[in-house]
Amino acid sequence: MAKLILSMDGLVLKEINLTKERTTIGRKPHNDIQIDNLAVSGEHAVIVTILEDSFLEDLGSTNGTVVNGQPIKKHFLQNNDIIELGKYKLKYVTEASAGQAQVADFEKTMILRPGASKGITAGAAQAIPAAPAAAASSAKNFGDTAAIQGTAAQGPASRPSAATPQKAAAIQVLSGPNAGQDFDLTKPLTTLGKPGVQVAVITRRPQGFFITHVEGASFPVVNGKPLDAQAHSLNDHDVIDLAGVKMEFFFKT
């Protein structure tokens, strides 16, 4: 189990076990980790823990969040990382194997905006014409936020065998004018959804790819069935309905 060690000026104040899926950090009393200091915003940052992995996201704080001396917006936490919030420090400690995560940062959230009037935002992979899922594009990983439009539904494709972790995978947008847009799932964690409405994360593990609900009153739907709070294994051609947008998970050939 991962934990945080809160300290100030070298003095350890407390240890916090990361037992919750979402652990909020901020000055206001409702946060899971309250730091009553003016350098800390009311809702400063959040740590999302999925199985054995945790990632940190700054929530638009005034003074920012620093990890190992570098300002971050999103960061995949690794053992002994030091999170700095003003004069306070949070040391991330985990018993998980050091080899399970080799990439520090992950993609920013793909914001799904059903019915939006604009296309893919600058910096995202370029849109391609509608095509079968197997015809995955070789587009670059999208580092900037992507806005995916449309609400039209498309039925699920056939589902062959269970996930094969050795294969590369991607998701393809099924609805709206950007149908056919592909995004490669190359990093350990890929978040997608609309913050404040519905957000999920797809994790890449040795056992395969898994989708987990992170934020929102309603859960994502896979092949017409709502998920629960547990991680759900993704199979070839699974259709995901998230924040009003349908997309297909598939293995690349």
Side-chain angles (χ1 to χ4, degrees):
M1 177 187 298
K3 65 180 179 180
L4 296 172
I5 302 174
L6 176 64
S7 65
M8 184 180 69
D9 297 329
L11 177 65
V12 174
L13 303 177
K14 66 167 67 174
E15 294 187 4
I16 306 101
N17 291 324
L18 295 177
T19 58
K20 298 177 61 177
E21 187 176 83
R22 289 176 60 83
T23 301
T24 58
I25 306 169
R27 192 178 68 254
K28 294 181 178 179
H30 66 261
N31 288 284
D32 298 302
I33 302 175
Q34 183 192 10
I35 301 178
D36 190 9
N37 185 278
L38 292 177
V40 179
S41 296
E43 297 175 351
H44 197 104
V46 63
I47 294 175
V48 177
T49 300
I50 306 296
L51 299 179
E52 296 179 350
D53 295 329
S54 297
F55 56 96
L56 170 71
E57 179 176 1
D58 183 86
L59 297 177
S61 64
T62 301
N63 295 317
T65 302
V66 173
V67 177
N68 302 329
Q70 299 295 323
I72 62 93
K73 291 298 183 182
K74 293 185 178 183
H75 178 78
F76 189 97
L77 287 168
Q78 300 182 72
N79 193 39
N80 293 325
D81 274 353
I82 303 295
I83 305 166
E84 299 178 43
L85 305 171
K87 294 182 179 180
Y88 291 83
K89 293 183 179 181
L90 286 163
K91 183 176 182 179
Y92 177 78
V93 180
T94 178
E95 297 177 355
S97 62
Q100 79 180 109
Q102 298 179 352
V103 180
D105 292 335
F106 52 93
E107 296 106 322
K108 294 183 180 180
T109 305
M110 290 170 51
I111 299 181
L112 310 177
R113 297 172 181 160
S117 59
K118 295 182 179 180
I120 300 296
T121 59
Q126 297 299 313
I128 60 173
S137 71
S138 58
K140 298 178 181 178
N141 292 328
F142 54 100
D144 294 328
T145 299
I148 300 181
Q149 310 170 336
T151 56
Q154 179 173 328
S158 60
R159 298 175 56 202
S161 59
T164 305
Q166 292 78 13
K167 292 183 179 179
I171 56 174
Q172 182 184 63
V173 182
L174 298 179
S175 60
N178 291 311
Q181 180 80 35
D182 294 344
F183 294 105
D184 293 339
L185 300 173
T186 59
K187 295 194 176 184
L189 292 170
T190 302
T191 53
L192 59 158
K194 186 175 181 181
V197 178
Q198 192 178 50
V199 175
V201 61
I202 294 178
T203 57
R204 178 173 184 161
R205 298 178 172 278
Q207 299 87 356
F209 290 82
F210 294 81
I211 183 171
T212 307
H213 174 73
V214 173
E215 178 183 351
S218 60
F219 287 83
V221 174
V222 176
N223 299 327
K225 183 179 179 180
L227 302 181
D228 54 24
Q230 302 301 314
H232 177 83
S233 177
L234 288 170
N235 295 316
D236 199 19
H237 299 301
D238 275 352
V239 174
I240 303 166
D241 193 335
L242 178 68
V245 174
K246 287 185 180 293
M247 62 198 81
E248 180 181 4
F249 170 86
F250 65 94
F251 289 109
K252 300 177 67 175
T253 57

